[in-house]
Amino acid sequence: MKFLTIIIIIFFSSVSSSNDKMENNKEKMLGANLFILDKFTNKKYELIVPLAQSVSIGKSELVVYQCVKMDEKKINDDYALIKFSSKEDNVFLGWIIKSSPSLVVIEHPIYEIKLQGCIKQDPVFPEKRSIS
């Protein structure tokens, strides 16, 4: 019984120390920079979205809940937790990754959404720019 208790204590102390290391390597981000492709018109947009604000894209709605930039030797990437939904149903709720956009694909017939990166400055209002 004591042996099992010691193993559990060692396991949880190693988990908490690795979580502390991850927390130290995370930077506080206030928004996300997204690339949006309209597949019908072939127009490309750059969308800067503040955290927790909903943005209308056509008949759909996009919310970025969290954007995390990891700076570590092996992991140097940006991750965003987003919800992309239409009035009828939730299309996507999950994490998208900057370096691997094909790893998590948002299944939508009109829009393709990719993460360009997390941003540190506070965008008070969503900004949408046409890039083509």
Side-chain angles (χ1 to χ4, degrees):
M1 185 68 176
K2 286 183 181 182
F3 180 72
L4 181 61
T5 306
I6 292 171
I7 290 176
I8 291 172
I9 291 171
I10 291 171
F11 173 74
F12 282 112
S13 66
S14 67
V15 168
S16 67
S17 67
S18 67
N19 284 342
D20 292 340
K21 286 180 187 176
M22 286 182 69
E23 287 297 322
N24 291 337
N25 289 328
K26 288 183 191 174
E27 294 183 42
K28 184 166 174 96
M29 298 294 142
L30 298 172
N33 185 358
L34 301 172
F35 170 82
I36 299 174
L37 172 66
D38 186 330
K39 296 176 189 175
F40 286 145
T41 63
N42 210 20
K43 281 195 136 194
K44 299 173 186 168
Y45 298 97
E46 180 181 17
L47 183 64
I48 296 175
V49 183
L51 295 183
Q53 285 191 18
S54 65
V55 178
S56 295
I57 302 173
K59 294 181 181 179
S60 300
E61 190 173 85
L62 176 87
V63 180
V64 178
Y65 291 110
Q66 188 173 12
C67 200
V68 179
K69 180 185 263 318
M70 294 290 291
D71 288 326
E72 214 172 278
K73 290 179 184 175
K74 295 180 183 177
I75 303 171
N76 188 8
D77 210 351
D78 294 357
Y79 304 88
L81 177 61
I82 68 166
K83 178 182 176 187
F84 186 65
S85 60
S86 62
K87 293 184 188 214
E88 295 83 35
D89 57 1
N90 283 343
V91 175
F92 178 82
L93 173 63
W95 291 92
I96 57 174
I97 305 166
K98 178 183 175 183
S99 67
S100 304
S102 61
L103 187 62
V104 179
V105 179
I106 299 171
E107 299 290 335
H108 194 271
I110 301 171
Y111 300 107
E112 181 179 313
I113 300 171
K114 294 181 182 178
L115 178 65
Q116 294 293 99
C118 298
I119 53 175
K120 290 182 183 181
Q121 70 272 15
D122 186 11
V124 178
F125 299 106
E127 180 183 338
K128 182 179 176 182
R129 291 186 289 174
S130 178
I131 52 179
S132 71

